[in-house]
PDB file of all heavy atoms in Angstrom:
ATOM      1  N   ALA A   1       9.959   7.996   8.235  1.00 98.00           N
ATOM      2  CA  ALA A   1      10.645   9.265   8.355  1.00 98.00           C
ATOM      3  C   ALA A   1      11.593   9.185   9.441  1.00 98.00           C
ATOM      4  O   ALA A   1      11.638   8.370  10.363  1.00 98.00           O
ATOM      5  CB  ALA A   1       9.550  10.303   8.693  1.00 98.00           C
ATOM      6  N   PRO A   2      12.669  10.069   9.428  1.00 94.00           N
ATOM      7  CA  PRO A   2      13.658  10.099  10.447  1.00 94.00           C
ATOM      8  C   PRO A   2      13.176  10.246  11.754  1.00 94.00           C
ATOM      9  O   PRO A   2      12.302  11.080  12.090  1.00 94.00           O
ATOM     10  CB  PRO A   2      14.493  11.320  10.061  1.00 94.00           C
ATOM     11  CG  PRO A   2      14.342  11.518   8.606  1.00 94.00           C
ATOM     12  CD  PRO A   2      12.807  11.076   8.329  1.00 94.00           C
ATOM     13  N   GLY A   3      13.630   9.361  12.595  1.00 95.00           N
ATOM     14  CA  GLY A   3      13.207   9.355  14.051  1.00 95.00           C
ATOM     15  C   GLY A   3      11.748   8.714  14.233  1.00 95.00           C
ATOM     16  O   GLY A   3      11.298   8.708  15.445  1.00 95.00           O
ATOM     17  N   LYS A   4      11.183   8.212  13.223  1.00 97.00           N
ATOM     18  CA  LYS A   4       9.877   7.538  13.359  1.00 97.00           C
ATOM     19  C   LYS A   4      10.006   6.141  12.956  1.00 97.00           C
ATOM     20  O   LYS A   4      10.949   5.607  12.397  1.00 97.00           O
ATOM     21  CB  LYS A   4       8.919   8.139  12.332  1.00 97.00           C
ATOM     22  CG  LYS A   4       8.695   9.744  12.532  1.00 97.00           C
ATOM     23  CD  LYS A   4       8.018  10.019  13.852  1.00 97.00           C
ATOM     24  CE  LYS A   4       7.822  11.534  13.944  1.00 97.00           C
ATOM     25  NZ  LYS A   4       6.872  12.065  12.941  1.00 97.00           N
ATOM     26  N   GLU A   5       8.969   5.353  13.419  1.00 97.00           N
ATOM     27  CA  GLU A   5       8.888   3.947  13.105  1.00 97.00           C
ATOM     28  C   GLU A   5       8.460   3.700  11.780  1.00 97.00           C
ATOM     29  O   GLU A   5       7.669   4.569  11.251  1.00 97.00           O
ATOM     30  CB  GLU A   5       8.009   3.221  14.158  1.00 97.00           C
ATOM     31  CG  GLU A   5       8.493   3.179  15.611  1.00 97.00           C
ATOM     32  CD  GLU A   5       7.440   2.351  16.500  1.00 97.00           C
ATOM     33  OE1 GLU A   5       6.522   1.799  15.978  1.00 97.00           O
ATOM     34  OE2 GLU A   5       7.872   2.250  17.698  1.00 97.00           O
ATOM     35  N   ARG A   6       8.791   2.662  11.166  1.00 97.00           N
ATOM     36  CA  ARG A   6       8.340   2.294   9.805  1.00 97.00           C
ATOM     37  C   ARG A   6       6.893   1.900   9.913  1.00 97.00           C
ATOM     38  O   ARG A   6       6.487   1.064  10.790  1.00 97.00           O
ATOM     39  CB  ARG A   6       9.154   1.103   9.344  1.00 97.00           C
ATOM     40  CG  ARG A   6       8.992   0.821   7.808  1.00 97.00           C
ATOM     41  CD  ARG A   6       9.952  -0.215   7.268  1.00 97.00           C
ATOM     42  NE  ARG A   6      11.232   0.335   7.385  1.00 97.00           N
ATOM     43  CZ  ARG A   6      12.414  -0.262   6.868  1.00 97.00           C
ATOM     44  NH1 ARG A   6      12.150  -1.484   6.224  1.00 97.00           N
ATOM     45  NH2 ARG A   6      13.602   0.198   7.071  1.00 97.00           N
ATOM     46  N   GLU A   7       6.077   2.561   9.079  1.00 98.00           N
ATOM     47  CA  GLU A   7       4.643   2.265   9.090  1.00 98.00           C
ATOM     48  C   GLU A   7       4.105   1.789   7.794  1.00 98.00           C
ATOM     49  O   GLU A   7       4.632   2.197   6.756  1.00 98.00           O
ATOM     50  CB  GLU A   7       3.942   3.560   9.521  1.00 98.00           C
ATOM     51  CG  GLU A   7       4.084   4.690   8.593  1.00 98.00           C
ATOM     52  CD  GLU A   7       3.304   6.004   8.964  1.00 98.00           C
ATOM     53  OE1 GLU A   7       2.541   5.929   9.978  1.00 98.00           O
ATOM     54  OE2 GLU A   7       3.408   6.941   8.193  1.00 98.00           O
ATOM     55  N   GLY A   8       3.153   0.918   7.881  1.00 98.00           N
ATOM     56  CA  GLY A   8       2.533   0.401   6.752  1.00 98.00           C
ATOM     57  C   GLY A   8       1.664   1.538   6.047  1.00 98.00           C
ATOM     58  O   GLY A   8       1.007   2.247   6.644  1.00 98.00           O
ATOM     59  N   VAL A   9       1.725   1.567   4.719  1.00 98.00           N
ATOM     60  CA  VAL A   9       0.977   2.502   3.886  1.00 98.00           C
ATOM     61  C   VAL A   9      -0.152   1.819   3.188  1.00 98.00           C
ATOM     62  O   VAL A   9      -1.261   2.340   3.177  1.00 98.00           O
ATOM     63  CB  VAL A   9       2.011   3.218   2.878  1.00 98.00           C
ATOM     64  CG1 VAL A   9       1.074   4.137   2.003  1.00 98.00           C
ATOM     65  CG2 VAL A   9       3.037   4.020   3.647  1.00 98.00           C
ATOM     66  N   ALA A  10       0.197   0.812   2.450  1.00 98.00           N
ATOM     67  CA  ALA A  10      -0.794   0.083   1.717  1.00 98.00           C
ATOM     68  C   ALA A  10      -0.281  -1.339   1.345  1.00 98.00           C
ATOM     69  O   ALA A  10       0.842  -1.540   1.245  1.00 98.00           O
ATOM     70  CB  ALA A  10      -1.119   0.825   0.361  1.00 98.00           C
ATOM     71  N   SER A  11      -1.256  -2.287   1.228  1.00 98.00           N
ATOM     72  CA  SER A  11      -0.936  -3.597   0.914  1.00 98.00           C
ATOM     73  C   SER A  11      -1.887  -4.152  -0.141  1.00 98.00           C
ATOM     74  O   SER A  11      -3.047  -3.646  -0.292  1.00 98.00           O
ATOM     75  CB  SER A  11      -1.072  -4.533   2.108  1.00 98.00           C
ATOM     76  OG  SER A  11      -2.298  -4.708   2.647  1.00 98.00           O
ATOM     77  N   ILE A  12      -1.530  -5.253  -0.827  1.00 97.00           N
ATOM     78  CA  ILE A  12      -2.309  -5.917  -1.741  1.00 97.00           C
ATOM     79  C   ILE A  12      -1.939  -7.386  -1.814  1.00 97.00           C
ATOM     80  O   ILE A  12      -0.781  -7.783  -1.676  1.00 97.00           O
ATOM     81  CB  ILE A  12      -2.214  -5.216  -3.145  1.00 97.00           C
ATOM     82  CG1 ILE A  12      -3.133  -5.828  -4.217  1.00 97.00           C
ATOM     83  CG2 ILE A  12      -0.714  -5.401  -3.649  1.00 97.00           C
ATOM     84  CD1 ILE A  12      -3.227  -4.984  -5.481  1.00 97.00           C
ATOM     85  N   ASP A  13      -2.903  -8.291  -1.883  1.00 96.00           N
ATOM     86  CA  ASP A  13      -2.692  -9.679  -1.926  1.00 96.00           C
ATOM     87  C   ASP A  13      -2.807 -10.238  -3.255  1.00 96.00           C
ATOM     88  O   ASP A  13      -3.078  -9.434  -4.259  1.00 96.00           O
ATOM     89  CB  ASP A  13      -3.546 -10.494  -0.922  1.00 96.00           C
ATOM     90  CG  ASP A  13      -5.043 -10.487  -1.254  1.00 96.00           C
ATOM     91  OD1 ASP A  13      -5.498 -10.198  -2.395  1.00 96.00           O
ATOM     92  OD2 ASP A  13      -5.783 -10.845  -0.353  1.00 96.00           O
ATOM     93  N   SER A  14      -2.625 -11.482  -3.461  1.00 92.00           N
ATOM     94  CA  SER A  14      -2.594 -12.053  -4.780  1.00 92.00           C
ATOM     95  C   SER A  14      -3.983 -12.047  -5.485  1.00 92.00           C
ATOM     96  O   SER A  14      -4.023 -12.160  -6.740  1.00 92.00           O
ATOM     97  CB  SER A  14      -2.105 -13.516  -4.645  1.00 92.00           C
ATOM     98  OG  SER A  14      -3.023 -14.295  -4.000  1.00 92.00           O
ATOM     99  N   LEU A  15      -5.014 -11.885  -4.731  1.00 92.00           N
ATOM    100  CA  LEU A  15      -6.394 -11.782  -5.219  1.00 92.00           C
ATOM    101  C   LEU A  15      -6.771 -10.300  -5.506  1.00 92.00           C
ATOM    102  O   LEU A  15      -7.836 -10.095  -6.057  1.00 92.00           O
ATOM    103  CB  LEU A  15      -7.309 -12.434  -4.348  1.00 92.00           C
ATOM    104  CG  LEU A  15      -7.140 -13.846  -4.005  1.00 92.00           C
ATOM    105  CD1 LEU A  15      -8.255 -14.315  -3.003  1.00 92.00           C
ATOM    106  CD2 LEU A  15      -7.138 -14.727  -5.208  1.00 92.00           C
ATOM    107  N   GLY A  16      -5.836  -9.386  -5.290  1.00 94.00           N
ATOM    108  CA  GLY A  16      -6.176  -8.009  -5.533  1.00 94.00           C
ATOM    109  C   GLY A  16      -6.828  -7.321  -4.364  1.00 94.00           C
ATOM    110  O   GLY A  16      -7.244  -6.066  -4.543  1.00 94.00           O
ATOM    111  N   SER A  17      -6.994  -7.900  -3.206  1.00 96.00           N
ATOM    112  CA  SER A  17      -7.553  -7.252  -2.057  1.00 96.00           C
ATOM    113  C   SER A  17      -6.587  -6.129  -1.451  1.00 96.00           C
ATOM    114  O   SER A  17      -5.407  -6.521  -1.205  1.00 96.00           O
ATOM    115  CB  SER A  17      -7.973  -8.260  -1.028  1.00 96.00           C
ATOM    116  OG  SER A  17      -8.488  -7.626   0.191  1.00 96.00           O
ATOM    117  N   THR A  18      -7.016  -5.061  -1.238  1.00 98.00           N
ATOM    118  CA  THR A  18      -6.125  -3.937  -0.692  1.00 98.00           C
ATOM    119  C   THR A  18      -6.467  -3.487   0.611  1.00 98.00           C
ATOM    120  O   THR A  18      -7.647  -3.517   1.094  1.00 98.00           O
ATOM    121  CB  THR A  18      -6.196  -2.752  -1.753  1.00 98.00           C
ATOM    122  OG1 THR A  18      -7.537  -2.210  -1.832  1.00 98.00           O
ATOM    123  CG2 THR A  18      -5.749  -3.194  -3.144  1.00 98.00           C
ATOM    124  N   THR A  19      -5.506  -2.962   1.327  1.00 98.00           N
ATOM    125  CA  THR A  19      -5.653  -2.301   2.692  1.00 98.00           C
ATOM    126  C   THR A  19      -4.828  -1.018   2.640  1.00 98.00           C
ATOM    127  O   THR A  19      -3.680  -1.039   2.202  1.00 98.00           O
ATOM    128  CB  THR A  19      -5.190  -3.288   3.740  1.00 98.00           C
ATOM    129  OG1 THR A  19      -5.904  -4.516   3.758  1.00 98.00           O
ATOM    130  CG2 THR A  19      -5.360  -2.621   5.132  1.00 98.00           C
ATOM    131  N   TYR A  20      -5.451   0.093   3.080  1.00 98.00           N
ATOM    132  CA  TYR A  20      -4.754   1.326   3.305  1.00 98.00           C
ATOM    133  C   TYR A  20      -4.734   1.850   4.653  1.00 98.00           C
ATOM    134  O   TYR A  20      -5.654   1.687   5.406  1.00 98.00           O
ATOM    135  CB  TYR A  20      -5.472   2.312   2.304  1.00 98.00           C
ATOM    136  CG  TYR A  20      -5.410   2.065   0.801  1.00 98.00           C
ATOM    137  CD1 TYR A  20      -6.407   1.332   0.226  1.00 98.00           C
ATOM    138  CD2 TYR A  20      -4.368   2.471   0.114  1.00 98.00           C
ATOM    139  CE1 TYR A  20      -6.279   1.001  -1.093  1.00 98.00           C
ATOM    140  CE2 TYR A  20      -4.185   2.206  -1.244  1.00 98.00           C
ATOM    141  CZ  TYR A  20      -5.239   1.460  -1.880  1.00 98.00           C
ATOM    142  OH  TYR A  20      -5.185   1.174  -3.232  1.00 98.00           O
ATOM    143  N   ALA A  21      -3.675   2.438   4.953  1.00 98.00           N
ATOM    144  CA  ALA A  21      -3.551   3.197   6.249  1.00 98.00           C
ATOM    145  C   ALA A  21      -4.439   4.414   6.144  1.00 98.00           C
ATOM    146  O   ALA A  21      -4.630   5.175   5.026  1.00 98.00           O
ATOM    147  CB  ALA A  21      -2.079   3.652   6.520  1.00 98.00           C
ATOM    148  N   ASP A  22      -5.000   4.814   7.189  1.00 98.00           N
ATOM    149  CA  ASP A  22      -5.970   5.909   7.211  1.00 98.00           C
ATOM    150  C   ASP A  22      -5.424   7.242   6.606  1.00 98.00           C
ATOM    151  O   ASP A  22      -6.133   7.914   5.902  1.00 98.00           O
ATOM    152  CB  ASP A  22      -6.505   6.237   8.636  1.00 98.00           C
ATOM    153  CG  ASP A  22      -7.506   5.137   9.174  1.00 98.00           C
ATOM    154  OD1 ASP A  22      -8.080   4.426   8.282  1.00 98.00           O
ATOM    155  OD2 ASP A  22      -7.716   5.103  10.326  1.00 98.00           O
ATOM    156  N   PRO A  23      -4.164   7.580   6.952  1.00 98.00           N
ATOM    157  CA  PRO A  23      -3.648   8.860   6.399  1.00 98.00           C
ATOM    158  C   PRO A  23      -3.565   9.002   4.886  1.00 98.00           C
ATOM    159  O   PRO A  23      -3.459  10.095   4.408  1.00 98.00           O
ATOM    160  CB  PRO A  23      -2.218   9.004   7.008  1.00 98.00           C
ATOM    161  CG  PRO A  23      -2.314   8.146   8.227  1.00 98.00           C
ATOM    162  CD  PRO A  23      -3.201   7.035   7.826  1.00 98.00           C
ATOM    163  N   VAL A  24      -3.647   7.852   4.178  1.00 98.00           N
ATOM    164  CA  VAL A  24      -3.441   7.867   2.833  1.00 98.00           C
ATOM    165  C   VAL A  24      -4.700   7.534   2.023  1.00 98.00           C
ATOM    166  O   VAL A  24      -4.716   7.531   0.818  1.00 98.00           O
ATOM    167  CB  VAL A  24      -2.263   7.023   2.278  1.00 98.00           C
ATOM    168  CG1 VAL A  24      -1.067   7.381   3.106  1.00 98.00           C
ATOM    169  CG2 VAL A  24      -2.535   5.544   2.440  1.00 98.00           C
ATOM    170  N   LYS A  25      -5.712   7.098   2.727  1.00 98.00           N
ATOM    171  CA  LYS A  25      -6.912   6.677   2.042  1.00 98.00           C
ATOM    172  C   LYS A  25      -7.427   7.807   1.218  1.00 98.00           C
ATOM    173  O   LYS A  25      -7.575   9.005   1.610  1.00 98.00           O
ATOM    174  CB  LYS A  25      -8.015   6.234   3.124  1.00 98.00           C
ATOM    175  CG  LYS A  25      -7.711   4.969   3.747  1.00 98.00           C
ATOM    176  CD  LYS A  25      -8.809   4.550   4.656  1.00 98.00           C
ATOM    177  CE  LYS A  25      -8.477   3.139   5.325  1.00 98.00           C
ATOM    178  NZ  LYS A  25      -9.531   2.824   6.329  1.00 98.00           N
ATOM    179  N   GLY A  26      -7.950   7.492  -0.019  1.00 98.00           N
ATOM    180  CA  GLY A  26      -8.453   8.478  -0.922  1.00 98.00           C
ATOM    181  C   GLY A  26      -7.307   9.224  -1.735  1.00 98.00           C
ATOM    182  O   GLY A  26      -7.673   9.915  -2.633  1.00 98.00           O
ATOM    183  N   ARG A  27      -6.040   9.049  -1.380  1.00 98.00           N
ATOM    184  CA  ARG A  27      -5.040   9.694  -2.044  1.00 98.00           C
ATOM    185  C   ARG A  27      -4.042   8.863  -2.745  1.00 98.00           C
ATOM    186  O   ARG A  27      -3.468   9.102  -3.716  1.00 98.00           O
ATOM    187  CB  ARG A  27      -4.190  10.614  -1.037  1.00 98.00           C
ATOM    188  CG  ARG A  27      -5.134  11.701  -0.346  1.00 98.00           C
ATOM    189  CD  ARG A  27      -4.214  12.596   0.452  1.00 98.00           C
ATOM    190  NE  ARG A  27      -3.509  12.011   1.488  1.00 98.00           N
ATOM    191  CZ  ARG A  27      -2.149  11.988   1.690  1.00 98.00           C
ATOM    192  NH1 ARG A  27      -1.409  12.578   0.847  1.00 98.00           N
ATOM    193  NH2 ARG A  27      -1.630  11.345   2.727  1.00 98.00           N
ATOM    194  N   PHE A  28      -3.757   7.666  -2.160  1.00 98.00           N
ATOM    195  CA  PHE A  28      -2.826   6.676  -2.686  1.00 98.00           C
ATOM    196  C   PHE A  28      -3.607   5.448  -3.195  1.00 98.00           C
ATOM    197  O   PHE A  28      -4.608   5.085  -2.567  1.00 98.00           O
ATOM    198  CB  PHE A  28      -1.871   6.104  -1.568  1.00 98.00           C
ATOM    199  CG  PHE A  28      -0.891   7.123  -1.008  1.00 98.00           C
ATOM    200  CD1 PHE A  28      -0.999   8.625  -1.309  1.00 98.00           C
ATOM    201  CD2 PHE A  28       0.171   6.745  -0.151  1.00 98.00           C
ATOM    202  CE1 PHE A  28      -0.074   9.493  -0.840  1.00 98.00           C
ATOM    203  CE2 PHE A  28       1.028   7.727   0.301  1.00 98.00           C
ATOM    204  CZ  PHE A  28       0.919   9.103  -0.062  1.00 98.00           C
ATOM    205  N   THR A  29      -3.027   4.912  -4.172  1.00 98.00           N
ATOM    206  CA  THR A  29      -3.510   3.756  -4.811  1.00 98.00           C
ATOM    207  C   THR A  29      -2.477   2.619  -4.984  1.00 98.00           C
ATOM    208  O   THR A  29      -1.508   2.948  -5.699  1.00 98.00           O
ATOM    209  CB  THR A  29      -4.370   3.931  -6.042  1.00 98.00           C
ATOM    210  OG1 THR A  29      -5.270   4.924  -5.939  1.00 98.00           O
ATOM    211  CG2 THR A  29      -5.023   2.665  -6.689  1.00 98.00           C
ATOM    212  N   ILE A  30      -2.633   1.469  -4.458  1.00 98.00           N
ATOM    213  CA  ILE A  30      -1.698   0.469  -4.723  1.00 98.00           C
ATOM    214  C   ILE A  30      -2.165  -0.492  -5.704  1.00 98.00           C
ATOM    215  O   ILE A  30      -3.437  -0.765  -5.843  1.00 98.00           O
ATOM    216  CB  ILE A  30      -1.377  -0.359  -3.317  1.00 98.00           C
ATOM    217  CG1 ILE A  30      -0.153  -1.284  -3.612  1.00 98.00           C
ATOM    218  CG2 ILE A  30      -2.662  -1.104  -2.918  1.00 98.00           C
ATOM    219  CD1 ILE A  30       0.208  -1.959  -2.211  1.00 98.00           C
ATOM    220  N   SER A  31      -1.294  -1.063  -6.619  1.00 97.00           N
ATOM    221  CA  SER A  31      -1.675  -1.843  -7.639  1.00 97.00           C
ATOM    222  C   SER A  31      -0.517  -2.732  -8.004  1.00 97.00           C
ATOM    223  O   SER A  31       0.646  -2.455  -7.646  1.00 97.00           O
ATOM    224  CB  SER A  31      -2.125  -1.148  -8.904  1.00 97.00           C
ATOM    225  OG  SER A  31      -1.114  -0.270  -9.465  1.00 97.00           O
ATOM    226  N   LYS A  32      -0.677  -3.810  -8.705  1.00 96.00           N
ATOM    227  CA  LYS A  32       0.368  -4.700  -9.186  1.00 96.00           C
ATOM    228  C   LYS A  32       0.089  -5.224 -10.585  1.00 96.00           C
ATOM    229  O   LYS A  32      -1.031  -5.359 -11.000  1.00 96.00           O
ATOM    230  CB  LYS A  32       0.637  -5.863  -8.211  1.00 96.00           C
ATOM    231  CG  LYS A  32      -0.547  -6.815  -8.118  1.00 96.00           C
ATOM    232  CD  LYS A  32      -0.247  -7.921  -7.107  1.00 96.00           C
ATOM    233  CE  LYS A  32      -1.446  -8.845  -7.004  1.00 96.00           C
ATOM    234  NZ  LYS A  32      -1.149 -10.034  -6.071  1.00 96.00           N
ATOM    235  N   ASP A  33       1.205  -5.428 -11.249  1.00 93.00           N
ATOM    236  CA  ASP A  33       1.117  -6.055 -12.597  1.00 93.00           C
ATOM    237  C   ASP A  33       1.800  -7.473 -12.410  1.00 93.00           C
ATOM    238  O   ASP A  33       2.979  -7.595 -12.389  1.00 93.00           O
ATOM    239  CB  ASP A  33       1.894  -5.112 -13.636  1.00 93.00           C
ATOM    240  CG  ASP A  33       1.913  -5.634 -14.961  1.00 93.00           C
ATOM    241  OD1 ASP A  33       1.695  -6.898 -15.184  1.00 93.00           O
ATOM    242  OD2 ASP A  33       2.084  -4.886 -15.916  1.00 93.00           O
ATOM    243  N   ASN A  34       0.872  -8.436 -12.458  1.00 89.00           N
ATOM    244  CA  ASN A  34       1.401  -9.792 -12.241  1.00 89.00           C
ATOM    245  C   ASN A  34       2.306 -10.294 -13.293  1.00 89.00           C
ATOM    246  O   ASN A  34       3.251 -11.045 -13.062  1.00 89.00           O
ATOM    247  CB  ASN A  34       0.293 -10.792 -12.042  1.00 89.00           C
ATOM    248  CG  ASN A  34      -0.587 -10.543 -10.728  1.00 89.00           C
ATOM    249  OD1 ASN A  34       0.092 -10.332  -9.714  1.00 89.00           O
ATOM    250  ND2 ASN A  34      -1.805 -10.661 -10.789  1.00 89.00           N
ATOM    251  N   ALA A  35       2.047  -9.873 -14.516  1.00 89.00           N
ATOM    252  CA  ALA A  35       2.829 -10.358 -15.668  1.00 89.00           C
ATOM    253  C   ALA A  35       4.300  -9.758 -15.537  1.00 89.00           C
ATOM    254  O   ALA A  35       5.166 -10.385 -15.779  1.00 89.00           O
ATOM    255  CB  ALA A  35       2.264  -9.952 -16.972  1.00 89.00           C
ATOM    256  N   ALA A  36       4.307  -8.518 -15.132  1.00 92.00           N
ATOM    257  CA  ALA A  36       5.647  -7.918 -15.002  1.00 92.00           C
ATOM    258  C   ALA A  36       6.313  -8.088 -13.633  1.00 92.00           C
ATOM    259  O   ALA A  36       7.461  -7.647 -13.367  1.00 92.00           O
ATOM    260  CB  ALA A  36       5.608  -6.325 -15.316  1.00 92.00           C
ATOM    261  N   ASN A  37       5.540  -8.670 -12.702  1.00 93.00           N
ATOM    262  CA  ASN A  37       5.905  -8.834 -11.323  1.00 93.00           C
ATOM    263  C   ASN A  37       6.419  -7.524 -10.700  1.00 93.00           C
ATOM    264  O   ASN A  37       7.440  -7.368 -10.146  1.00 93.00           O
ATOM    265  CB  ASN A  37       7.008  -9.821 -11.135  1.00 93.00           C
ATOM    266  CG  ASN A  37       7.037 -10.585  -9.840  1.00 93.00           C
ATOM    267  OD1 ASN A  37       6.124 -10.410  -9.072  1.00 93.00           O
ATOM    268  ND2 ASN A  37       8.040 -11.364  -9.589  1.00 93.00           N
ATOM    269  N   THR A  38       5.514  -6.536 -10.881  1.00 96.00           N
ATOM    270  CA  THR A  38       5.777  -5.167 -10.456  1.00 96.00           C
ATOM    271  C   THR A  38       4.692  -4.612  -9.574  1.00 96.00           C
ATOM    272  O   THR A  38       3.564  -4.841  -9.765  1.00 96.00           O
ATOM    273  CB  THR A  38       6.046  -4.228 -11.685  1.00 96.00           C
ATOM    274  OG1 THR A  38       6.993  -4.735 -12.455  1.00 96.00           O
ATOM    275  CG2 THR A  38       6.245  -2.788 -11.255  1.00 96.00           C
TER     276      THR A  38
END
């Protein structure tokens, strides 16, 4: 956000392990499509 530091929201590794920042837990979901590289 303007005037704020860039903060991590969610991550995912090649095995599908995910990590979420506390403010978005239960609301955001990270996923990837390996075939589409998306």
